[in-house]
Amino acid sequence: MVVFFTQASGWPLSFIMTSCSMLRNRMLADPSFLFKVGTEIVIDSCCATLAEVQKRGKDFWAEFELYLADLLVGVVVNVALVGMLAPYARIGQPSLSKGVFGHMRHAYAALPSSVFEAERPGCRFSVKQRIATYFFKHIDDRWRYFQGVMYGAVGFACGIIGQGIANLIMTAKRSIRKSEEDIPVPPLVKSAALWGVFLAVSSNTRYQIINGLERLVESSPLAKKVPPVAMAFTIGVRFGNNIYGGMQFVDWARLSGVQ
């Protein structure tokens, strides 16, 4: 089945899937995975711009560097969330290790990818496992040691990169031409920490809910007869999520004193 799926995908996707097991396993579990990732990239870029223009108002151009940093980090973060919460095909049996750490690794490996992941042959999840997966994360058979803090870690790392680039741009502009409208350069570590908290709390919760809603629609009789219905719902629900998330982040950033 794996060989047939990769061959039917066509080049270069078949080559990428053969080389990257994390992508292949997600495509096997959810053939619409790449559609959801692409939808997230397009919608996030457009919605983040609209949300920031609305929230920043007349200060948008004065705060353009902050908008650019939010946009770059937001795209990477949202794509990471789609990938981390996506269901994946579990090929083979997990290795059994003895001792406390062995039992912990086995417990992590048995967790669903998201709170509302659909059950399928060989994958059954209890209520406790679904609750636990909000805090703990098992990405793939080769990545079973990561916990829920990885959401915050991804957000912090992306915040360091995105805000670092914005700070460099702001510093360079001020060295060439200073203006009374210039805003203070945001603190790098504090901004990255805000991204980490926002990703671990707000984004994690919102994307868990989105996965659950998409699962309900995709399993409905209407979507099975008319597949574009599920695709349209994905576009709509992710559009609304990105608008709300972008506006919420600006509020969080201002309340925390970062922006």
Side-chain angles (χ1 to χ4, degrees):
M1 179 179 178
V2 175
V3 175
F4 173 78
F5 192 88
T6 54
Q7 290 179 345
S9 300
W11 193 91
L13 181 57
S14 60
F15 174 76
I16 298 174
M17 290 179 62
T18 303
S19 306
C20 181
S21 62
M22 294 183 69
L23 173 61
R24 180 180 65 247
N25 292 344
R26 279 156 178 75
M27 289 286 291
L28 288 172
D30 183 7
S32 63
F33 172 70
L34 285 183
F35 170 76
K36 293 175 180 177
V37 172
T39 299
E40 195 68 32
I41 293 174
V42 174
I43 290 179
D44 180 80
S45 300
C46 297
C47 291
T49 300
L50 293 175
E52 297 246 1
V53 168
Q54 180 181 354
K55 297 296 291 187
R56 298 188 188 280
K58 62 180 182 179
D59 297 325
F60 176 78
W61 290 110
E63 301 177 356
F64 183 78
E65 295 90 346
L66 301 179
Y67 151 74
L68 184 61
D70 292 348
L71 180 66
L72 293 175
V73 177
V75 170
V76 176
V77 161
N78 286 325
V79 171
L81 271 173
V82 174
M84 288 190 291
L85 293 177
Y88 62 91
R90 308 185 184 215
I91 302 173
Q93 296 295 327
S95 58
L96 298 178
S97 303
K98 298 180 179 179
V100 176
F101 291 104
H103 289 298
M104 290 178 62
R105 288 195 294 269
H106 180 71
Y108 290 158
L111 293 176
S113 298
S114 62
V115 175
F116 302 106
E117 180 181 353
E119 293 185 342
R120 53 189 185 274
C123 291
R124 295 289 185 267
F125 311 113
S126 66
V127 175
K128 290 183 178 180
Q129 286 177 312
R130 293 186 181 278
I131 295 175
T133 201
Y134 181 85
F135 303 96
F136 301 95
K137 190 62 195 164
H138 175 239
I139 296 182
D140 210 323
D141 291 332
R142 295 185 303 171
W143 298 84
R144 62 185 61 176
Y145 307 111
F146 290 96
Q147 302 180 16
V149 295
M150 82 172 308
Y151 295 107
V154 170
F156 183 82
C158 291
I160 285 287
I161 297 172
Q163 193 61 58
I165 294 174
N167 286 4
L168 288 175
I169 295 174
M170 295 172 73
T171 303
K173 286 178 62 178
R174 283 154 179 72
S175 64
I176 298 174
R177 178 179 58 86
K178 292 184 179 181
S179 172
E180 294 181 356
E181 297 181 354
D182 288 340
I183 59 175
V185 177
L188 179 60
V189 176
K190 188 175 181 180
S191 297
L194 173 65
W195 270 107
V197 173
F198 185 78
L199 184 62
V201 178
S202 175
S203 297
N204 183 22
T205 301
R206 287 185 287 109
Y207 279 86
Q208 296 278 6
I209 295 173
I210 286 175
N211 278 14
L213 293 175
E214 287 180 334
R215 169 192 167 188
L216 287 176
V217 174
E218 290 170 352
S219 61
S220 67
L222 178 60
K224 290 181 178 179
K225 292 182 179 180
V226 188
V229 170
M231 299 173 68
F233 178 80
T234 291
I235 294 174
V237 73
R238 292 183 183 275
F239 179 85
N241 172 63
N242 276 276
I243 285 287
Y244 175 74
M247 296 173 65
Q248 187 183 52
F249 179 81
V250 174
D251 290 336
W252 281 37
R254 288 179 171 173
L255 289 173
S256 65
V258 170
Q259 298 183 9

